[in-house]
Amino acid sequence: MNGSVFGAVHLGYVVIETNRFADWRRFGTDAIGMHHDDLDTGLMRFRLDDQECRFLLRRGPAEDVVATGWHLDDHTTFERIEARVRAHGVPVVEGTAEEAKARGVERLLRFPGPKGITQEIYTTPLTSPEPLRMLASGWVTGDSGMGHVAITSARPTLMRGYFTTVFDARLTDYIDETISGVRLKIRFLRVDERHHSVAIAAVRGLPIDPVRTRVQHLNIQAASLDDVARSYQRVHELGFEMALAVGQHTNDKELSYYARTPSGFEWEVGWNPIVVDETTWEPRTHRGISVWGHTPVGQGIVDKLEQFRLAARSLAHPEKTVPALSGGGTPDD
């Protein structure tokens, strides 16, 4: 089936595998301020709005994101994406009724994604009549989806090619940054009006990945600046590690901070990013991640050495790609 699916795709939910349920409950509910539901001893969910599930946590050893769920506007979009994936010879599997129920959707299909993160698609999320019980006043979801996923990659053009092939993702912009002497290039991809739903960070000139987890961070957008400030304070008071202090990004202008989750990857709480106007937007390169702030918190020489160790280790473990859906990759503009 021909036709672009851009604008009809939105980040809908994220699946995290962890054995640290007690820590995650405190982090998500008491620190970040989301609504929490226990399903059984092996499943836990967080809500941001009336949808039953935005984050599904299941018991397991990965301590990482294992799947991302994409909410599609209609069955035509669903069928187009399914047809694309199948046409490239990539296996598509229908989720079981139990899996769909846990994710709060009527039906889902899944297929392989970059870095071993399974990609799942659905059209009909289930909503809950139960009022939200959370410390935050609200979160921004709606037509923009629920935030974004940031991934480090040793094969960034292949990863960009994947999201272009499957979801017709568009390049929003780039950031060039040097951190601790390491030169990074970050590619920001959008699938709807949100500035980006996927960010791909890569070390320039070296095929290495300095991050242990499949994702570097997850982002959710707070409804108010007060929510950002209050959750920042709670993260500190409850003893969770802060990765980056409050700051403002150069490209999307989002004001945010980054906390470290119980599983090790980072969690960004942001406010007021710009919305892309498709009629006027032109990609550009920004120098540096932040206009101000976002200073590292508590990072010492041991942390830096660990990053170099992980980077060296990644050379011996080739990154998982999906060649059939990545093509030759999408080169930088």
Side-chain angles (χ1 to χ4, degrees):
M1 298 177 66
N2 297 322
S4 174
V5 300
F6 179 86
V9 179
H10 321 282
L11 183 62
Y13 62 76
V14 172
V15 182
I16 299 166
E17 187 177 286
T18 178
N19 281 320
R20 299 170 181 165
F21 266 40
D23 290 338
W24 264 103
R25 188 179 295 110
R26 287 183 66 244
F27 179 81
T29 308
D30 301 331
I32 303 302
M34 298 181 290
H35 174 105
H36 161 263
D37 288 313
D38 281 318
L39 300 188
D40 59 35
T41 56
L43 292 172
M44 178 171 67
R45 295 195 299 208
F46 292 116
R47 286 174 55 197
L48 302 177
D49 52 18
D50 63 346
Q51 292 192 24
E52 285 188 353
C53 178
R54 289 298 191 175
F55 296 95
L56 174 67
L57 279 68
R58 72 185 193 202
R59 287 201 183 274
E63 299 302 339
D64 209 342
V65 169
V66 294
T68 49
W70 298 91
H71 181 191
L72 311 181
D73 282 351
D74 49 50
H75 290 290
T76 299
T77 303
F78 190 95
E79 290 167 1
R80 279 179 178 161
I81 293 175
E82 179 184 3
R84 285 180 187 181
V85 175
R86 291 189 187 277
H88 285 83
V90 175
V92 176
V93 177
E94 182 157 6
T96 65
E98 292 75 17
E99 290 169 333
K101 182 179 179 181
R103 289 157 174 76
V105 299
E106 283 192 357
R107 172 179 177 247
L108 69 103
L109 292 182
R110 66 163 56 92
F111 45 88
K115 290 195 78 173
I117 303 173
T118 298
Q119 304 297 299
E120 301 178 352
I121 57 173
Y122 66 98
T123 58
T124 310
L126 303 178
T127 58
S128 173
E130 182 182 353
L132 289 164
R133 305 181 311 275
M134 59 187 187
L135 298 176
S137 68
W139 305 95
V140 178
T141 53
D143 291 339
S144 298
M146 69 164 196
H148 65 250
V149 178
I151 309 172
T152 55
S153 175
R155 310 293 297 277
T157 59
L158 290 182
M159 188 174 291
R160 182 179 165 191
Y162 178 96
F163 287 105
T164 300
T165 298
V166 178
F167 298 127
D168 293 314
R170 298 178 181 177
L171 175 72
T172 303
D173 49 34
Y174 300 102
I175 288 180
D176 286 343
E177 177 68 286
T178 300
I179 300 176
S180 300
V182 178
R183 296 173 63 219
L184 298 174
K185 189 176 192 70
I186 311 172
R187 298 152 177 87
F188 295 83
L189 307 180
R190 68 187 187 279
V191 293
D192 55 29
E193 65 181 9
R194 186 176 287 278
H195 178 276
H196 60 284
S197 292
V198 178
I200 305 168
V203 177
R204 296 189 66 143
L206 292 173
I208 58 174
D209 185 347
V211 176
R212 176 194 67 80
T213 50
R214 298 170 190 171
V215 301
Q216 191 276 326
H217 75 261
L218 299 178
N219 163 282
I220 54 175
Q221 183 181 339
S224 73
L225 182 57
D226 187 61
D227 284 326
V228 176
R230 290 181 182 274
S231 64
Y232 183 84
Q233 182 179 17
R234 292 193 300 266
V235 168
H236 273 295
E237 291 176 346
L238 291 171
F240 289 103
E241 183 181 349
M242 191 67 68
L244 297 177
V246 175
Q248 186 177 31
H249 287 302
T250 54
N251 59 345
D252 67 0
K253 308 304 179 187
E254 187 170 29
L255 188 147
S256 68
Y257 70 85
Y258 294 73
R260 195 170 305 282
T261 68
S263 292
F265 57 85
E266 295 174 13
W267 188 286
E268 182 185 20
V269 176
W271 173 74
N272 201 33
I274 61 176
V275 174
V276 170
D277 180 349
E278 295 296 332
T279 64
T280 60
W281 191 268
E282 292 291 338
R284 56 174 291 203
T285 298
H286 299 264
R287 304 295 172 184
I289 292 174
S290 305
V291 178
W292 60 270
H294 286 142
T295 54
V297 178
Q299 186 181 51
I301 186 64
V302 173
D303 301 290
K304 293 179 181 178
L305 289 173
E306 174 65 7
Q307 282 193 313
F308 284 120
R309 185 187 71 80
L310 290 170
R313 181 183 175 187
S314 72
L315 290 170
H317 297 83
E319 182 175 313
K320 289 183 179 180
T321 61
V322 188
L325 291 173
S326 304
T330 301
D332 293 331
D333 300 332

